[in-house]
Amino acid sequence: MEQFKTFNVVGARPNMMKMAPVMAEMRRHAELHPVLVHTGQHYDFSMSQVFLDQLKLGEPDYNLNVGSGTHHAQTAQILEKFGELVRAERPDMILVAGDVNSTMACALVGAKELIPVAHVEAGLRSFDRTMPEEINRIVADAVSDLLFTTEQSGTDNLLREGVAEGKIVFAGNAMIDSVVAALEQARRSPMVGQLGLEAGKYILVTLHRPSNVDQPQNLQPALQAILEIAREHAMPAVFPVHPRTQSRIAGLEISGIQEWDNRSRLSGGGIWLMPPASYLDFLSLMDKAAMVITDSGGVQEETTYLGVPCLTYRDNTERPVTVEYGSNHLVGANPEALIATAREVLRKPRAVHRTPPLWDGHAAERIVAAVIEFFRRRQPAAQYASIDAAKSR
Ligand code: UD1
């Protein structure tokens, strides 16, 4: 039987939840040979290995170890190293996920090497080109051959940009597949108890967008507002800190922000910093929170699925379905609005939220079915070989 080799790319933390269910589903099909390639964009144990383990991705077949750098340096390294690997191994397809630098760079390599590219979580648009992720999304989508959308807005955006309808598959949300698969286990995580927290009586915080954390004049008022919310509602605000944010907070002087020391029980009225949480621990922290304050894309989706109120500290979202259907409130990067929205959300009983269409735990099945269909319909592999031979002449 002919086997199709795919390169499934992960680079940064949020790629893992999207690629894990796709990898697992591909492994169930004998005609597919999925190869896991990690660019190494994220490399700390807490940002990478623990996710590979908990999401059962296994050890990557290749790790390119690109590490950190400016966007240009990091992207260039991925292009060079992934390009070399792709030229040597000639996969039949490259699958990328999300909107990080690794997504964009690996999609570009595929396009240049005339290897079909599939983008998981295509079409999302914040319409804000100051966000590095927006550039990554636009470029990845422009060079992809199969575009898997998670919500109707994604499909609409792609059609408006002139992407052929036949390339777009509304597959649903693969990240939610991971939540569905892990939720029961996450609910057994001892994390909330270990921190001394009570379900429904704490606020969970994540902030890592450059626009919010890189400048003290933006980060300081955001943290002051969160402190004020914690004090007003006598709840601890738990903040697993992304490495990008860690160094920025260290430079600020705000009283009421404390490091969790692994022993103390968290009390109300303050911000408690802790190291980045594992996937299962974070899921359990989200699930039991009274409210989440975030600037992450994935957290807006996960809280929507869980029905937990989410206050998004950004001026835009590329995931409008989370506001339309879900429990997400787009607050703006505005401290006063954050305090006011928190007051409103915590005062009112929780509204009933709907789960967006096809966020049902089966997105990966639809994605893989479409990949197999693509291979069945595509030109014979020999054509790619002859293109390759022509290029090396
Ligand atoms: C990246 C993605 C962002 C995603 C986020 C999730 C891009 C442009 N950005 O942002 O879309 O939401 O991942 O986490 O791709 N660092 C470590 N250890 C690590 C990784 C990073 O200490 O394992 C530190 C380094 O100082 C690095 C900084 O974090 O310079 C930023 O890392 P980088 O991958 O450039 O961007 P993120 O902010 O993580």
Side-chain angles (χ1 to χ4, degrees):
M1 187 212 299
E2 190 182 5
Q3 239 200 354
F4 296 102
K5 180 165 72 179
T6 64
F7 271 8
N8 296 28
V9 177
V10 294
R13 182 170 65 174
N15 295 153
M16 317 244 183
M17 305 74 159
K18 295 162 198 171
M19 202 48 87
V22 176
M23 264 318 268
E25 179 62 18
M26 284 187 149
R27 286 176 178 140
R28 280 194 275 273
H29 291 265
E31 66 266 53
L32 299 177
H33 171 43
V35 174
L36 185 64
V37 181
H38 194 328
T39 64
Q41 178 176 344
H42 284 176
Y43 43 83
D44 285 352
F45 179 84
S46 63
M47 297 293 286
S48 174
Q49 189 64 46
V50 71
F51 288 84
L52 293 171
D53 295 345
Q54 292 192 344
L55 290 157
K56 303 186 178 67
L57 270 160
E59 283 311 302
D61 297 285
Y62 298 97
N63 192 328
L64 307 178
N65 293 311
V66 298
S68 303
T70 62
H71 283 259
H72 321 301
Q74 191 177 57
T75 305
Q77 275 236 36
I78 302 169
L79 284 171
E80 191 174 349
K81 292 191 168 180
F82 188 67
E84 262 171 42
L85 180 66
V86 164
R87 288 179 68 83
E89 294 294 322
R90 304 301 310 169
D92 296 294
M93 180 181 276
I94 294 168
L95 284 97
V96 295
D99 56 14
V100 304
N101 288 345
S102 301
T103 311
M104 191 250 308
C106 294
L108 205 48
V109 167
K112 295 269 183 179
E113 289 296 323
L114 305 180
I115 290 171
V117 175
H119 185 199
V120 175
E121 196 192 86
L124 297 180
R125 296 288 181 270
S126 65
F127 304 101
D128 173 3
R129 291 200 180 197
T130 65
M131 274 181 90
E133 292 81 4
E134 183 75 351
I135 309 298
N136 293 342
R137 294 180 198 114
I138 291 168
V139 174
D141 286 342
V143 299
S144 288
D145 302 277
L146 256 181
L147 298 100
F148 295 111
T149 57
T150 52
E151 58 172 89
Q152 187 59 42
S153 78
T155 303
D156 295 344
N157 293 333
L158 293 172
L159 290 173
R160 204 177 40 249
E161 289 171 16
V163 175
E165 202 173 347
K167 292 182 175 180
I168 307 169
V169 178
F170 176 34
N173 195 325
M175 185 176 238
I176 299 302
D177 288 12
S178 285
V179 176
V180 171
L183 194 54
E184 217 183 283
Q185 200 188 347
R187 285 186 168 144
R188 291 196 299 270
S189 154
M191 194 71 222
V192 170
Q194 267 170 14
L195 291 164
L197 297 169
E198 249 184 275
K201 299 217 169 113
Y202 64 90
I203 299 158
L204 179 65
V205 179
T206 81
L207 291 177
H208 74 282
R209 295 259 154 245
S211 59
N212 282 333
V213 306
D214 281 1
Q215 310 299 328
Q217 65 268 28
N218 296 337
L219 182 57
Q220 173 116 6
L223 293 174
Q224 294 283 14
I226 294 167
L227 261 179
E228 201 166 320
I229 293 166
R231 286 186 184 132
E232 180 178 329
H233 302 279
M235 284 187 191
V238 189
F239 189 171
V241 188
H242 185 284
R244 172 187 280 282
T245 316
Q246 180 70 49
S247 54
R248 310 304 199 275
I249 293 184
L252 300 179
E253 274 183 35
I254 308 180
S255 65
I257 300 188
Q258 299 157 78
E259 303 260 352
W260 183 54
D261 63 6
N262 263 321
R263 289 183 304 277
S264 49
R265 296 170 67 80
L266 307 195
S267 51
I271 297 179
W272 294 83
L273 306 178
M274 57 181 282
S278 73
Y279 182 62
L280 293 170
D281 288 345
F282 193 76
L283 204 50
S284 116
L285 281 169
M286 262 189 302
D287 185 42
K288 298 195 176 81
M291 179 177 82
V292 178
I293 297 173
T294 194
D295 59 7
S296 148
V299 171
Q300 295 173 56
E301 297 188 339
E302 290 162 339
T303 49
T304 280
Y305 183 80
L306 297 170
V308 174
C310 177
L311 275 54
T312 297
Y313 195 73
R314 282 175 47 187
D315 293 327
N316 50 56
T317 179
E318 59 288 328
R319 294 159 160 93
V321 80
T322 59
V323 178
E324 196 189 327
Y325 277 70
S327 47
N328 189 18
H329 302 256
L330 186 61
V331 172
N334 176 337
E336 286 80 38
L338 188 66
I339 295 168
T341 313
R343 198 171 287 144
E344 199 176 317
V345 164
L346 291 174
R347 187 169 40 88
K348 284 198 291 199
R350 263 190 201 179
V352 179
H353 299 288
R354 291 176 296 161
T355 305
L358 301 190
W359 290 25
D360 58 359
H362 299 286
E365 290 160 40
R366 291 184 282 269
I367 289 169
V368 174
V371 167
I372 291 172
E373 181 60 24
F374 181 92
F375 284 134
R376 287 203 179 118
R377 280 202 255 137
R378 75 162 202 188
Q379 297 107 321
Q383 178 170 337
Y384 288 91
S386 65
I387 291 168
D388 205 26
K391 279 172 73 182
S392 60
R393 249 180 251 136

